[in-house]
mmCIF file of all heavy atoms in Angstrom:
data_model
loop_
_atom_site.group_PDB
_atom_site.id
_atom_site.type_symbol
_atom_site.label_atom_id
_atom_site.label_comp_id
_atom_site.label_asym_id
_atom_site.label_seq_id
_atom_site.Cartn_x
_atom_site.Cartn_y
_atom_site.Cartn_z
ATOM 1 N N ASN A 544 14.286 -18.922 18.029
ATOM 2 C CA ASN A 544 14.973 -19.836 18.952
ATOM 3 C C ASN A 544 16.134 -19.162 19.646
ATOM 4 O O ASN A 544 16.269 -19.226 20.861
ATOM 5 C CB ASN A 544 15.551 -21.030 18.176
ATOM 6 C CG ASN A 544 14.544 -22.144 18.075
ATOM 7 O OD1 ASN A 544 13.666 -22.256 18.935
ATOM 8 N ND2 ASN A 544 14.648 -22.942 17.043
ATOM 9 N N ALA A 545 16.977 -18.515 18.848
ATOM 10 C CA ALA A 545 18.167 -17.875 19.401
ATOM 11 C C ALA A 545 17.749 -16.815 20.415
ATOM 12 O O ALA A 545 18.270 -16.760 21.525
ATOM 13 C CB ALA A 545 18.990 -17.255 18.283
ATOM 14 N N LEU A 546 16.759 -16.009 20.046
ATOM 15 C CA LEU A 546 16.346 -14.912 20.931
ATOM 16 C C LEU A 546 15.709 -15.429 22.217
ATOM 17 O O LEU A 546 15.816 -14.799 23.260
ATOM 18 C CB LEU A 546 15.386 -13.971 20.196
ATOM 19 C CG LEU A 546 16.071 -13.075 19.160
ATOM 20 C CD1 LEU A 546 15.061 -12.498 18.204
ATOM 21 C CD2 LEU A 546 16.848 -11.954 19.851
ATOM 22 N N SER A 547 15.054 -16.569 22.136
ATOM 23 C CA SER A 547 14.432 -17.068 23.358
ATOM 24 C C SER A 547 15.497 -17.617 24.324
ATOM 25 O O SER A 547 15.250 -17.766 25.508
ATOM 26 C CB SER A 547 13.374 -18.128 23.049
ATOM 27 O OG SER A 547 13.993 -19.273 22.560
ATOM 28 N N ASP A 548 16.701 -17.870 23.821
ATOM 29 C CA ASP A 548 17.803 -18.254 24.711
ATOM 30 C C ASP A 548 18.408 -17.034 25.405
ATOM 31 O O ASP A 548 19.213 -17.168 26.313
ATOM 32 C CB ASP A 548 18.924 -18.956 23.912
ATOM 33 C CG ASP A 548 18.476 -20.329 23.443
ATOM 34 O OD1 ASP A 548 17.491 -20.843 24.010
ATOM 35 O OD2 ASP A 548 19.088 -20.859 22.499
ATOM 36 N N GLY A 549 18.059 -15.860 24.978
ATOM 37 C CA GLY A 549 18.607 -14.643 25.594
ATOM 38 C C GLY A 549 18.630 -13.525 24.581
ATOM 39 O O GLY A 549 19.232 -13.666 23.517
ATOM 40 N N VAL A 550 17.944 -12.444 24.878
ATOM 41 C CA VAL A 550 17.840 -11.334 23.932
ATOM 42 C C VAL A 550 19.190 -10.654 23.755
ATOM 43 O O VAL A 550 19.660 -10.437 22.637
ATOM 44 C CB VAL A 550 16.779 -10.316 24.412
ATOM 45 C CG1 VAL A 550 16.873 -9.040 23.608
ATOM 46 C CG2 VAL A 550 15.381 -10.913 24.305
ATOM 47 N N GLU A 551 19.832 -10.353 24.894
ATOM 48 C CA GLU A 551 21.072 -9.569 24.901
ATOM 49 C C GLU A 551 22.106 -10.121 23.902
ATOM 50 O O GLU A 551 22.579 -9.411 23.027
ATOM 51 C CB GLU A 551 21.634 -9.600 26.333
ATOM 52 C CG GLU A 551 22.718 -8.582 26.593
ATOM 53 C CD GLU A 551 22.188 -7.142 26.641
ATOM 54 O OE1 GLU A 551 21.076 -6.963 27.193
ATOM 55 O OE2 GLU A 551 22.864 -6.248 26.121
ATOM 56 N N ALA A 552 22.390 -11.413 24.031
ATOM 57 C CA ALA A 552 23.475 -12.014 23.255
ATOM 58 C C ALA A 552 23.126 -12.123 21.779
ATOM 59 O O ALA A 552 24.005 -12.154 20.927
ATOM 60 C CB ALA A 552 23.802 -13.395 23.819
ATOM 61 N N ASN A 553 21.841 -12.182 21.461
ATOM 62 C CA ASN A 553 21.454 -12.457 20.080
ATOM 63 C C ASN A 553 20.909 -11.259 19.316
ATOM 64 O O ASN A 553 20.462 -11.382 18.182
ATOM 65 C CB ASN A 553 20.443 -13.604 20.059
ATOM 66 C CG ASN A 553 21.103 -14.905 20.444
ATOM 67 O OD1 ASN A 553 21.959 -15.411 19.736
ATOM 68 N ND2 ASN A 553 20.764 -15.418 21.621
ATOM 69 N N LEU A 554 20.980 -10.125 19.978
ATOM 70 C CA LEU A 554 20.423 -8.919 19.385
ATOM 71 C C LEU A 554 21.159 -8.494 18.110
ATOM 72 O O LEU A 554 20.537 -8.132 17.113
ATOM 73 C CB LEU A 554 20.500 -7.796 20.419
ATOM 74 C CG LEU A 554 19.464 -6.727 20.260
ATOM 75 C CD1 LEU A 554 18.084 -7.268 20.550
ATOM 76 C CD2 LEU A 554 19.780 -5.590 21.204
ATOM 77 N N VAL A 555 22.479 -8.551 18.173
ATOM 78 C CA VAL A 555 23.267 -8.103 17.019
ATOM 79 C C VAL A 555 23.025 -9.006 15.803
ATOM 80 O O VAL A 555 22.674 -8.504 14.735
ATOM 81 C CB VAL A 555 24.768 -7.998 17.383
ATOM 82 C CG1 VAL A 555 25.607 -7.758 16.136
ATOM 83 C CG2 VAL A 555 24.969 -6.870 18.386
#
Side-chain angles (χ1 to χ4, degrees):
N544 271 334
L546 286 163
S547 68
D548 290 342
V550 168
E551 194 71 39
N553 291 294
L554 207 67
V555 171

